[in-house]
Amino acid sequence: MTQADDEDDAHDTPAGMPPGTPFYMTPAGHARLREELRALWDEERPKVVEIVSWAAALGDRSENADYQYGKRRLREIDRRVRFLRKRLEQAQVVDPAAQPRRDQVFFGATVTYAREDDSEVTVTITGVDETDLQQGRISWVSPVARTLLGKRVGDTARLRTPQGIEEIELVAIRYPDA
């Protein structure tokens, strides 16, 4: 096993979760990873292989920047391809639009909660590879999501934050329409 394989294996389980924890993912997140894999394998990698082949044909590879950069980029692409293939193979796609129990917070829900200072926060609970704080998408294994999962509108919960424990109240739950 190479160091790259060890690094890939380190990403097999979300941080702080026991080994074997599933990789829940929305259909949109799964499609994004599949598209990234396709673009790397079918578009970018062949171009880099062509450049490396051309640069190798020039001779002295030790001082050939095109060759050295190309080989490094190929390793990066191959590492990402291995990661994506493994992740997609392990992914459990969960369609939030198919959630029958819409009165409770589950994976894929968009949740609005009120903080102690009366401000409201809206987040969507997604897979670990889909998080985007700018878009309000948080991982289902994040402290906020784990606090919200299973709750209903009107429920209060204690959220551990860096500043201490904060009491939050669930204001709304939405799921995408089927």
Side-chain angles (χ1 to χ4, degrees):
M1 183 176 279
T2 67
Q3 182 179 359
D5 292 333
D6 287 341
E7 290 171 8
D8 288 344
D9 291 342
H11 298 292
D12 284 350
T13 302
M17 298 299 290
T21 297
F23 286 110
Y24 295 122
M25 193 175 288
T26 64
H30 194 261
R32 276 192 297 277
L33 289 187
R34 271 196 335 263
E35 174 54 25
E36 181 185 352
L37 176 60
R38 187 207 59 75
L40 285 172
W41 191 253
D42 294 342
E43 295 172 13
E44 187 172 355
R45 192 176 194 286
K47 289 176 187 173
V48 175
V49 165
E50 187 176 320
I51 291 168
V52 168
S53 297
W54 167 81
L58 295 177
D60 185 10
R61 297 175 186 174
S62 66
E63 295 184 18
N64 186 327
D66 286 327
Y67 178 81
Q68 291 176 357
Y69 172 78
K71 290 297 281 188
R72 184 173 335 128
R73 183 64 188 134
L74 275 177
R75 284 190 299 275
E76 292 167 358
I77 291 170
D78 289 345
R79 185 173 19 260
R80 183 67 179 166
V81 163
R82 277 191 311 274
F83 173 82
L84 289 170
R85 284 182 175 158
K86 187 180 277 189
R87 189 66 110 212
L88 288 167
E89 177 184 297
Q90 295 172 340
Q92 292 183 31
V93 179
V94 177
D95 187 355
Q99 176 56 255
R101 297 181 58 200
R102 294 170 172 254
D103 66 329
Q104 206 169 351
V105 177
F106 295 105
F107 180 87
T110 297
V111 180
T112 301
Y113 64 91
R115 300 183 61 192
E116 289 177 343
D117 64 4
D118 289 331
S119 64
E120 290 188 354
V121 178
T122 300
V123 295
T124 300
I125 300 171
T126 64
V128 294
D129 295 317
E130 302 174 82
T131 61
D132 182 343
L133 295 179
Q134 300 287 343
Q135 299 292 319
R137 292 192 306 255
I138 63 171
S139 165
W140 70 279
V141 298
S142 70
V144 172
R146 292 191 338 204
T147 299
L148 294 170
L149 287 170
K151 302 291 187 281
R152 291 182 164 85
V153 171
D155 286 353
T156 59
R158 295 170 53 86
L159 175 63
R160 183 178 307 274
T161 70
Q163 292 77 32
I165 302 294
E166 180 177 359
E167 190 89 11
I168 60 173
E169 181 180 355
L170 194 63
V171 175
I173 304 169
R174 290 189 330 272
Y175 287 93
D177 293 329

